[in-house]
Each structure stands twice: as C-alpha cells, then as structure tokens.
Amino acid sequence: MDKFTELTAIAAPMPTENIDTDQIIPARFLKTIQRTGLGRNAFAAQRYDADGNEKPDFVLNQEPYRHAEILITYDNLGCGSSREHAPWALLDFGIRCVIAPSFADIFFNNCFKNGILPIRLPREICDELMDDARQGANSRLTVDLERQVIVRPNGETIAFDVDPFRRHMLLEGLDDIGQTMAHDAEITSFEHRPSRAWVPSITIGTVK
Amino acid sequence: MPVTTSPRTLFDKIWDDHVVERLEDGTCILYIDRHLVHEVTSPQAFEGLRMSGRRVRRPDATVAVADHNVPTSDRSKPIEEPQSRLQIETLEKNVAEFGVPYFPLRSTSQGIVHVVGPEQGISLPGMTIVCGDSHTSTHGALGSLAFGIGTSEVEHVLATQTILQKPAKNMRVSVEGKVGPGVTAKDIMLAIIGRIGTAGGTGHVIEFAGSAIRDLDMAGRMTLCNMSIEAGARAGLVAPDETTFAYVKGRPFAPKGEAFEQACDYWRSLASDDGAYFDTEVTLAAEEIIPSVTWGTSPQDVLPIDGSVPSPSDEPDPARAAQIQRALDYMGLEAGQKIAGTPVDVVFIGSCTNSRLEDLRAAADVVRGRHVAEGVRAMIVPGSGLVKHAAEAEGLDKVFLDAGFEWREAGCSMCLGMNPDRLTPGQRCASTSNRNFEGRQGPDGRTHLCSPAMAAAAAVTGRLCDVRELVKETV
Ligand code: SF4
C-alpha cells in the first residue's frame, strides 16, 4: 500500500448525501479479478451516457476536476454494498482523500486499507470546503496527515481527527496482516480454549 | 476472559467471548468462527495470499459458494459471459489450491451465501461470522454476530482467522404487539428503516426485540437482520430462543446429540441481561405497521401502501428537496401522487432478503388461482437449490408456472443484475430485494422494494397495490 503523508491537490465538489457504492462502481463492473483498472468506470452511470460518451455536466468530466485527488460530499458517503471495488475505483481514478460529514462503516474502513484517507468533518465545515472546491483551478487543498490539518486555498487551516492506529498505518504504508500475524501465539491459545469446544469444524469432503 | 459483573447485551457477550487481544488504542483482535466466501469479493484476497506466500489459517472454518454472478437459467450449459465464467473458475481454482470447502455450482446445496449458511447449519448462534458482502448481517437472525467486510479484510481473515475492530455501540429496536394480516417481516423492517433512516444505525449493532420479533419465524428474522445494513448498522441480532434451536437442530453442520444440548445451554446464556445498557433505543408499535413499498432511490424512502409520494416543495432543506426531485425524476413519479396503482413491468421475488421457502409460500398464497397481468414479466429465483427442491415438493413451482411466472435456478440474479437478469432502462420493478439504488437492478431501472406477498400482488394486478385487498377477496 502507498504511504499517505501530505497531499496537495484539486478537490471536487459532490454536494450529495448517501452516495452509495453502487454509484461509485456499478455491479456490472465487478467481474474483474484484479484491483486495478476500475477508475475508468467510477461513477459510470453519472459520467457516461448510454453510448459511452462523457456527460459534460458531471463534475468529474470537467476541468480541473478530471484531475481531482480529493472528493468532498455530504452525509453517509459509501453506504450500501461492502464492495472494496468502490475505493479501488476511486483510487484508480486518482482519489486519495475523501471528506464528508459522515461515512458508512465498511466503506470508511475499506478506504484506510487502500491508502485513501477518509476525513469526517462537521457539515458546516464541509460546506466551506465545498465552496473552496467550487473554485475551479483554485480548488487546491492540502491535506497534511502528519499534522492532521487541511489547508484551505486562503491559507486557513482546519484540524481533523483520525484514529491513531489508522494514521500510523497510513503514514508508514503498512498492511494489517503482518501486524496481526505477530500475535499468532495469542490466536492459537484462543483457539484451544475449552469454552470453544462446541464450535464444529467443517471438513472438506462433507461439503457437496 | 474478562470477568464482568455489570449487565451486558447480547452483542457485548458475543464480542467479549471472541476477543483474542485488546490493543493499546482499544482496537480488538476479534476471532472469527465462520468465514463465508463468494466469487466477487474474494479473487483479489486469494491473490494477495499467494503473493505473500500465506496460507488459509482455518480452511475448516471457511466455506465458499458462487452466487452473485451465476446464471439462473439452465445450469447444464457452460456460462456464457466470459468474465463471469472467469470469476467462477477463479474461485474454483482458489478453493482447490487453498483447501477450502466449496459448494459447486451444480450441487443442490448451491445458493445465495446468506441462504446457504443458516440452511446448512454452518452459521450458528453465538458465533462471529463474516463474509465479503454487506448482507452478512442476515446470519444475525440466529443470534450470531455477523457482518460484511471488504476484500482486504477477507484476506486478513483468510490469513489470520481474526479481524481488527473496535466494539460497536448497542442499539435496541423493539417492536411490540402483533402485526395485522398481510404484514410481514419485510414491512416491519421497511418501517424501521423509514423511521431511523439509512444512517440511523451507523456505528451500532442493532438488537431486534419485542413481542412482534419473538413471534417471527427464522425466515422472517433473517429478512429483518438482512436489511440492518440498509439502516446503516454494522450488524443485526435477534437473541437465540426455542424457535432458533428448533431451526438449527438436525442441520447438516450443526452440533449433534449431547454437543447440541451443551451448545443450547451456552446459547441460552447469551440473551441481553436485564438492565443492560443500550446507547440508542427505538420502539415501534406493530399494529401501526401496514404493508409498505419504497418510492425513491434509498431504502429509507418508504411509504405505507396507502401513502403518497413526497413533494420537494414540502421540504425545508434545499439539499434534501433537490434529492427528492432527483429521486422522483429517476423513478418517473409525480410529487404527491398515490403510490398504489403505479403500473409495474417486472416483478422479482428472490434475493437473500426474501427467497426462502416461507417467502415463496407467502407469494404462492397470493398467486394461487390467479394469473400474472398482461405485459408483466414475473420471476421467482429461489435462494438455494434446497429451497427450490422443497418448494417443488410442495407443488409451489406449479402454482407459479401455471400463473405465468418464471421459475429459475438459485442465485443473486436481479437483486444486483450482475448476471443477465437485469432491468432495461426505464423498467419499473416490484422487488423483494433490499436495495433500490439508482441502477442497482440494471442501468436506469426503477426498483420498488416490498414483501413477497406485495410483489406477488403487483404481479397479478400489474400495479403496486395493497395485498390485503386481494387476500380479502379470497377469504
Ligand atoms: S442476493 Fe443481493 S443483496 Fe443478497 S448477497 Fe446477493 S447480491 Fe447481495
């Protein structure tokens, strides 16, 4: 996973609530067995017409937002399906940071695991950032994870919270699995607790 | 194990019994008893294992089945869409390589993962259960902690049999009283989502309680827990009781004999203690719930069937008003119109929400002696091969086929339109599935969520209508 330390980039405004993961990447594009290549179809229904031509009124089809690396939305971003294809599609499009007043739980988690920083900020602040994002070529924000601040185009800074464990993993570009495997002894001893004796095993020949 | 004296909730107890270790910042390494795997969210996870030379830690706690992307037509032919075929072949290759038990596509046991797990006794009360699918919450009906995870977490569970998580908050939704005739678990759940909204449960695990919930059979409880995610919750739970034990007993992978009795004793101890603390409590009166449908493009856009579609002009918040307008435009509805009487093109009875034998019986009760309305395409997609067989043994297939329904093979089908079962642009569908998002059942398709009985009523009348009026005629 790529590290996330500091990002200065165009922010795209998407002033909508409940942007679900079916919108971010529709189901018909989930047939891939890879993580990459989904960016072309991110937001496909809003981005392209029936013939596959770009719809000019969709924000990510406009300059400079085609190069956006930050997305600003309203409440409950990423609700619905747990598909990690949603953050993969965003990442493949170039998005590294998503900002919203609230997120759906699974999507929030999935972002961290792919080097995308999700930031929760109150609606009023999202409104201000939304205004910044509407300024076209001047819609550049700096997101500094080390200092936990966003720098607005006018130089003002906005502090944000992030889970310390998640922050550490992003700053270092670490993956969870290696960390958990270091606790192998504890996991094994858990598996041998007598209170777990009732949990049946599923042997391979019995499943048909 | 921590010795706690304060009263605990069902969620707290299952959680505490699965904590391997609590890390400094409160994140827990949580042990997972069952990991269900399907073809769409697992290929990248297995690839990750392969690249780092890791194995599956507990193949005997893992089960795979293909469901999302499978054709629901004749299974004797090869799968036509090359990408779908590749995804299923990839799953078959992965389970063989990593030694994971697998229900093959042509087996009668194949079906939607959330139907198969409980039906086989793979999912049991008191367990932690995960799957790379948000509707894993379904299994919570058994009194297990079951939730959806992303593909990175699928890889994490495959490698370590654990997951990293912080405990959720507790929410209790109580539905008290008795529901009226024609009102099902689906209507109860739509009413709950209509009340708390699609973000109402965010960060919480919902325990469903109250006399109306106790009265539900297991299929109904699964419908309820299934849609917990539509209320934003991490998971839904119903405390295991005698209904649960009777359901579990004798299932192929459930404990047998004395082991079963011991397990029941443990499961009985899991119910929330009196005085346990819930961060959020919501209560609904069962008598007030009537058959419901959704009108818009979010599951919280719920209307009782005698209701009218909202008007943006009645909405003070401009962002919300714009969203209502957008939903109306997408759905092809007029502000303020009655929802009953809206003509439908397609009826879909299926999905992990409503494709169990009990659901098919409820639909058949409405359909018997009637015929699908002119111009309507109506399809039944049983949740598993076993459900299909059981329904056929009762003659339900005949009821549906005689009435002009399609009777298909098990899978997710039109719930998400990954396989060829899809709405065409502008088509309007009464659907027993769980999501009415834009494009969910096919690009520009229009979805009205409802119960199997309501969907059946729409099929035979050609319109969204109150099933109670049809059933009245027959009594
Ligand atoms: S039936 Fe629908 S909601 Fe259920 S697992 Fe399949 S695609 Fe997901």
Side-chain angles (χ1 to χ4, degrees):
Chain A
M1 196 178 75
D2 288 344
K3 287 184 187 179
F4 188 111
T5 46
E6 193 191 281
L7 170 72
T8 299
I10 297 286
M14 293 187 82
T16 316
E17 291 177 5
N18 300 320
I19 296 177
D20 57 69
T21 52
D22 273 82
Q23 284 181 51
I24 298 174
I25 186 80
R28 57 189 186 284
F29 304 114
L30 306 188
K31 294 173 197 262
T32 174
I33 56 169
Q34 294 170 333
R35 289 174 200 248
T36 50
L38 289 158
R40 191 160 27 98
N41 293 311
F43 296 101
Q46 283 138 278
R47 216 159 128 211
Y48 306 109
D49 64 19
D51 302 324
N53 301 314
E54 285 190 1
K55 297 188 193 173
D57 55 347
F58 183 62
V59 62
L60 298 182
N61 287 335
Q62 297 162 359
E63 289 297 341
Y65 304 113
R66 310 176 162 275
H67 315 289
E69 293 174 55
I70 302 169
L71 210 57
I72 303 172
T73 80
Y74 287 152
D75 274 292
N76 205 20
L77 176 61
C79 60
S81 157
S82 61
R83 59 188 69 162
E84 198 157 321
H85 307 71
W88 295 338
L90 293 179
L91 192 65
D92 198 53
F93 178 89
I95 303 290
R96 292 297 310 272
C97 173
V98 285
I99 304 175
S102 63
F103 293 83
D105 288 332
I106 301 176
F107 177 78
F108 191 72
N109 248 320
N110 282 344
C111 283
F112 282 114
K113 310 224 166 191
N114 290 283
I116 298 176
L117 172 63
I119 303 178
R120 258 192 224 115
L121 287 169
R123 168 75 186 244
E124 312 82 74
I125 296 182
C126 288
D127 274 327
E128 288 180 16
L129 293 174
M130 197 72 78
D131 287 339
D132 290 342
R134 289 193 177 102
Q135 294 175 24
N138 292 327
S139 68
R140 292 178 91 80
L141 300 178
T142 295
V143 178
D144 184 338
L145 180 59
E146 196 90 52
R147 290 164 53 215
Q148 294 186 218
V149 291
I150 298 172
V151 187
R152 299 180 59 190
N154 65 6
E156 216 177 277
T157 59
I158 295 171
F160 63 86
D161 276 341
V162 54
D163 181 284
F165 177 70
R166 293 277 157 229
R167 174 173 173 271
H168 169 73
M169 301 293 279
L170 273 183
L171 286 173
E172 303 296 327
L174 295 175
D175 101 89
D176 292 354
I177 298 179
Q179 300 257 317
T180 304
M181 285 186 121
H183 298 266
D184 186 67
E186 290 84 357
I187 299 173
T188 305
S189 99
F190 179 94
E191 285 169 332
H192 291 103
R193 283 186 190 175
S195 61
R196 295 188 44 79
W198 69 273
V199 181
S201 283
I202 302 164
T203 39
I204 193 158
T206 56
V207 172
K208 296 190 186 93
Chain B
M1 221 173 294
V3 184
T4 331
T5 44
S6 59
R8 290 182 299 160
T9 64
L10 168 60
F11 165 71
D12 296 338
K13 293 183 192 182
I14 301 177
W15 179 274
D16 290 348
D17 282 356
H18 289 86
V19 173
V20 172
E21 216 179 328
R22 200 176 306 267
L23 308 177
E24 283 161 43
D25 71 331
T27 301
C28 292
I29 301 181
L30 194 72
Y31 198 79
I32 299 302
D33 294 319
R34 289 288 180 259
H35 185 190
L36 308 170
V37 173
H38 68 86
E39 79 279 23
V40 176
T41 56
S42 68
Q44 296 84 352
F46 282 112
E47 185 58 24
L49 289 186
R50 209 174 279 123
M51 274 160 35
S52 39
R54 290 171 178 147
R55 63 189 179 95
V56 175
R57 183 183 175 95
R58 290 282 314 272
D60 63 325
T62 312
V63 179
V65 66
D67 57 1
H68 281 64
N69 208 350
V70 304
T72 58
S73 48
D74 188 356
R75 291 268 164 84
S76 58
K77 300 191 205 121
I79 300 171
E80 272 173 36
E81 276 194 57
Q83 281 180 301
S84 300
R85 196 169 62 229
L86 176 64
Q87 219 168 35
I88 291 158
E89 285 168 0
T90 304
L91 180 65
E92 291 177 345
K93 194 175 89 200
N94 285 332
V95 295
E97 180 180 337
F98 289 93
V100 170
Y102 171 64
F103 292 109
L105 194 51
R106 292 198 188 134
S107 142
T108 7
S109 303
Q110 181 271 342
I112 305 172
V113 62
H114 310 310
V115 175
V116 172
E119 173 176 88
Q120 295 284 342
I122 290 167
S123 309
L124 295 168
M127 284 184 158
T128 47
I129 303 172
V130 297
C131 171
D133 186 281
S134 58
H135 291 101
T136 309
S137 58
T138 314
H139 310 254
L142 293 154
S144 57
L145 175 60
F147 48 88
I149 56 177
T151 300
S152 297
E153 289 172 310
V154 169
E155 186 180 338
H156 191 277
V157 178
L158 288 172
T160 68
Q161 202 56 33
T162 67
I163 195 160
L164 297 174
Q165 241 186 40
K166 286 188 176 164
K169 288 192 258 182
N170 281 287
M171 175 187 263
R172 178 160 58 192
V173 175
S174 307
V175 187
E176 300 290 354
K178 275 211 174 323
V179 291
V183 178
T184 66
K186 185 65 161 284
D187 302 297
I188 298 177
M189 196 54 198
L190 288 174
I192 294 171
I193 299 165
R195 165 82 81 84
I196 69 176
T198 50
T202 304
H204 291 79
V205 166
I206 302 179
E207 178 174 346
F208 297 98
S211 51
I213 307 298
R214 297 255 77 86
D215 285 349
L216 291 174
D217 59 19
M218 290 310 292
R221 295 180 188 184
M222 287 184 217
T223 302
L224 206 69
C225 290
N226 173 275
M227 290 188 74
S228 306
I229 184 78
E230 267 63 59
R234 278 202 211 162
L237 291 161
V238 177
D241 60 8
E242 298 310 316
T243 306
T244 321
F245 308 146
Y247 173 91
V248 167
K249 193 168 184 176
R251 304 253 156 206
F253 295 94
K256 305 267 161 8
E258 198 164 329
F260 180 76
E261 296 310 321
Q262 280 166 8
C264 283
D265 288 342
Y266 171 61
W267 297 337
R268 269 189 202 98
S269 74
L270 293 172
S272 291
D273 298 326
D274 288 337
Y277 176 73
F278 287 89
D279 301 83
T280 314
E281 290 245 31
V282 177
T283 306
L284 279 80
E287 288 79 6
E288 287 170 14
I289 300 171
I290 76 162
S292 301
V293 292
T294 60
W295 63 269
T297 52
S298 160
Q300 70 191 5
D301 298 339
V302 177
L303 277 181
I305 186 65
D306 60 3
S308 303
V309 172
S311 300
S313 55
D314 296 342
E315 178 56 54
D317 174 8
R320 179 72 195 132
Q323 237 152 35
I324 293 177
Q325 190 56 54
R326 172 172 163 167
L328 289 176
D329 294 344
Y330 182 87
M331 293 299 290
L333 296 171
E334 296 293 329
Q337 81 171 74
K338 286 256 175 231
I339 195 69
T342 310
V344 300
D345 307 299
V346 177
V347 170
F348 170 64
I349 298 180
S351 90
C352 57
T353 316
N354 281 125
S355 63
R356 299 181 180 81
L357 186 58
E358 293 81 349
D359 299 312
L360 303 191
R361 284 182 189 145
D365 284 345
V366 176
V367 168
R368 213 170 265 116
R370 296 192 168 92
H371 201 275
V372 171
E374 185 79 25
V376 172
R377 177 187 182 197
M379 55 202 284
I380 311 269
V381 183
S384 71
L386 291 181
V387 170
K388 185 170 189 252
H389 276 241
E392 286 171 353
E394 292 181 13
L396 301 186
D397 56 327
K398 216 170 159 316
V399 174
F400 291 121
L401 287 166
D402 288 351
F405 278 83
E406 297 169 29
W407 178 249
R408 304 182 71 94
E409 299 288 339
C412 293
S413 178
M414 203 184 267
C415 175
L416 88 167
M418 267 191 89
N419 76 352
D421 309 339
R422 236 175 252 168
L423 296 180
T424 56
Q427 271 189 332
R428 185 181 300 284
C429 178
S431 175
T432 66
S433 56
N434 43 53
R435 286 186 178 139
N436 52 352
F437 298 154
E438 291 181 11
R440 170 76 178 184
Q441 295 190 289
D444 289 319
R446 296 163 171 167
T447 304
H448 295 276
L449 303 176
C450 60
S451 73
M454 287 283 282
V460 298
T461 62
R463 292 160 193 283
L464 299 177
C465 65
D466 191 339
V467 62
R468 295 174 300 180
E469 284 165 17
L470 290 190
V471 182
K472 220 188 292 164
E473 283 170 29
T474 36
V475 254

